[in-house]
């Protein structure tokens, strides 16, 4: 007998192909090479996962409604990528999808491995901040890369990850979304997503990189009522409509793969015009903390490698490779 997730995927495929007609248990059993009791057991498991499947003593089974789940069955058959999401790891609960991806990396998981969880018990952000992972409301995903990159430019994955989401939010949801360099995605000046990139390196080159993104999707204002450093929002709050997370995740992975390939072939410089166009901070006075320093200046632009150029009031220009923008003031 085939293993459960594969068999469940096959049952879902058969039910979808029947286009609203009932499929008999005997037919399913025959096609999948399992007993009718086996079919029934898998149907119960699918129901427990949130699939609405009606059964008829003579007719068999019919798929009525799919859950807003990020499980294999809803994502893998619909992926529009060449290498991203192969393999795709889905977990109900995990400490942190980044931790899990780092663990898989140490076990030789391939480039493009994706880890998704419905909730995280120790989701984390930059500077060891906590990332609130409300079950079944958000998207928590980590992507493993094995392209060896000079350590200094490896954090560029963060900016590619942010840009991909901004494009999807603009194109699919009509939201005027912006990037707060380097790792926050905003909508109407409120944070809708954050990115945490971690890596392991051999001297000057990365051995592997894990980029994790947390997206506030169907969160309500109450879910986001915590004392955040930056005001938070969700896509549902901004659009006024619930969002199918599976649709968003599929679009995001497709866009990310496209941008990442461009980056690999042409470098980040090919994406700088878009990073500048969608920047929240360019032309504004910002305070940036890095290490134990905080400097304030006008955000002038980005270098071809994605570092921030900051013009201080004494006329001195500073190039900042990694930092945290604490305050953004509008241009006078
Ligand atoms: C930040 O805003 O500082 C970054 C937040 C990153 C959160 C995501 S959720 C998926 C992945 N797993 C984690 O533990 N963190 C990232």
């Amino acid at each position: 007998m085939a293993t459960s997730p594969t068999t469940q995927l096959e049952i879902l495929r058969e039910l979808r192909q029947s286009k609203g007609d009932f499929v008999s248990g005997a037919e399913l059993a025959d096609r999948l090479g399992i007993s009718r009791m086996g079919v029934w057991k898998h149907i119960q498991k699918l129901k427990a996962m949130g699939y609405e499947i009606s059964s008829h003593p003579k007719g068999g089974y019919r798929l009525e409604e799919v859950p807003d789940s990020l499980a294999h069955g809803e994502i893998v058959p619909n992926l529009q990528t060449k290498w991203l999401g192969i393999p795709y790891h889905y977990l109900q609960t995990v400490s942190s999808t980044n931790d899990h991806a780092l663990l898989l990396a140490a076990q030789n998981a391939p480039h493009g491995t994706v880890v998704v969880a419905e909730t995280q018990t120790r989701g984390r952000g930059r500077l060891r901040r906590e990332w609130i992972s409300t079950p079944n409301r958000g998207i928590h995903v980590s992507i493993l890369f094995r392209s060896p990159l000079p350590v200094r430019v490896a954090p560029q994955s963060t900016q590619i990850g942010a840009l991909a989401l901004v494009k999807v939010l603009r194109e699919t949801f009509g939201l005027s979304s912006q990037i707060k360099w380097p790792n926050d995605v905003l909508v109407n000046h409120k944070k809708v997503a954050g990115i945490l990139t971690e890596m392991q390196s051999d001297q000057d080159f990365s051995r592997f990189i894990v980029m994790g993104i947390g997206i506030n999707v169907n969160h309500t204002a109450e879910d986001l009522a915590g004392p955040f450093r930056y005001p938070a929002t969700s896509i549902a709050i901004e659009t006024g409509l619930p969002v199918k997370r599976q649709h968003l995740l599929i679009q995001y992975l497709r866009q990310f793969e496209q941008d990442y390939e461009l980056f690999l072939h042409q470098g980040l410089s090919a994406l700088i015009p878009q990073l500048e166009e969608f920047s929240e901070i360019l032309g504004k006075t910002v305070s940036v903390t890095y290490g134990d320093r905080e400097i304030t200046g006008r955000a002038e632009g980005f270098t071809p490698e994605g570092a921030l150029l900051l013009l201080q009031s004494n006329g001195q220009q500073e190039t900042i490779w990694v930092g945290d923008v604490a305050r953004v003031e509008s241009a006078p």
Side-chain angles (χ1 to χ4, degrees):
M1 180 169 155
T3 60
S4 300
T6 317
T7 312
Q8 282 154 22
L9 276 179
E10 284 170 359
I11 291 179
L12 283 174
R13 200 186 55 226
E14 295 291 341
L15 294 179
R16 280 195 172 102
Q17 274 171 1
S18 77
K19 299 201 180 9
D21 287 337
F22 279 93
V23 187
S24 77
E27 230 174 297
L28 283 173
D30 201 40
R31 285 186 207 157
L32 305 180
I34 58 177
S35 67
R36 285 175 63 179
M37 179 54 91
V39 170
W40 182 84
K41 281 187 182 156
H42 286 300
I43 294 276
Q44 300 318 304
K45 284 198 184 130
L46 286 167
K47 283 185 175 175
M49 286 160 70
Y51 289 90
E52 230 178 86
I53 299 170
S54 54
S55 38
H56 189 276
K58 291 219 180 88
Y61 301 103
R62 186 168 69 189
L63 184 61
E64 307 289 354
E65 188 76 52
V66 296
D68 181 29
S69 148
L70 304 176
H72 293 84
E74 295 312 310
I75 304 296
V76 176
N78 301 317
L79 275 180
Q80 296 157 15
T81 52
K82 289 177 267 176
W83 49 267
L84 188 56
I86 306 165
Y88 179 87
H89 293 261
Y90 170 77
L91 303 146
Q92 272 299 328
T93 305
V94 71
S95 57
S96 146
T97 53
N98 266 30
D99 285 348
H100 198 77
L102 289 166
L103 199 78
L104 292 173
Q107 295 164 0
N108 288 326
H111 178 77
T113 295
V114 161
V115 177
V116 169
E118 292 293 354
T119 187
Q120 307 178 106
T121 51
R122 282 202 307 276
R124 59 177 192 276
R126 289 173 85 214
L127 308 175
R128 302 204 184 145
R129 295 187 190 116
E130 183 190 2
W131 183 261
I132 309 279
S133 313
T134 317
N136 307 306
R137 297 265 167 92
I139 292 181
H140 318 104
V141 50
S142 298
I143 304 175
L144 169 66
F145 307 104
R146 288 198 175 274
S147 355
L149 297 174
V151 165
R152 200 149 98 135
V153 303
Q156 292 174 346
S157 320
T158 301
Q159 296 185 58
I160 303 164
L163 181 62
L165 182 62
V166 163
K167 291 198 221 171
V168 172
L169 293 180
R170 285 175 170 263
E171 283 157 28
T172 309
F173 297 93
L175 291 172
S176 139
S177 167
Q178 248 121 10
I179 302 167
K180 183 164 81 68
W181 180 90
N183 73 311
D184 289 344
V185 176
L186 310 184
V187 173
N188 291 325
H189 314 292
K190 284 171 274 172
K191 180 160 168 171
V192 80
I195 297 176
L196 175 68
T197 298
E198 298 174 293
M199 78 172 133
Q200 207 174 85
S201 54
D202 283 331
Q203 292 191 333
D204 296 340
F205 282 85
S206 63
R207 208 143 63 81
F208 54 76
I209 298 171
V210 167
M211 187 216 72
I213 180 165
I215 311 174
N216 299 335
V217 186
N218 284 319
H219 299 64
T220 61
E222 293 78 64
D223 293 331
L224 301 172
F228 298 115
R229 238 180 80 265
Y230 213 81
T233 191
S234 71
I235 303 176
I237 293 173
E238 297 301 322
T239 57
L241 293 168
V243 174
K244 275 259 179 214
R245 292 176 311 149
Q246 44 207 221
H247 179 58
L248 173 61
L249 180 60
I250 288 162
Q251 304 266 72
Y252 179 69
L253 294 176
R254 184 184 54 91
Q255 184 63 56
F256 187 92
E257 184 182 87
Q258 271 178 24
D259 289 344
Y260 193 81
E261 286 192 344
L262 191 68
F263 158 73
L264 280 186
H265 295 130
Q266 297 180 26
L268 192 72
S269 57
L271 296 166
I272 292 292
Q274 290 175 5
L275 286 167
E276 291 190 336
E277 181 185 350
F278 302 135
S279 170
E280 168 81 359
I281 64 170
L282 285 198
K284 294 183 183 164
T285 299
V286 296
S287 299
V288 187
T289 51
Y290 61 107
D292 50 11
R293 278 189 73 192
E294 171 168 330
I295 70 166
T296 300
R298 202 178 109 98
E300 294 283 289
F302 301 117
T303 68
E305 298 90 6
L308 174 65
L309 296 169
L310 207 65
L311 183 64
Q312 292 171 268
S313 54
N314 62 7
Q316 206 180 320
Q317 193 175 62
E318 190 94 17
T319 304
I320 304 174
W321 286 88
V322 191
D324 197 44
V325 174
R327 265 197 333 275
V328 184
E329 289 154 27
S330 304

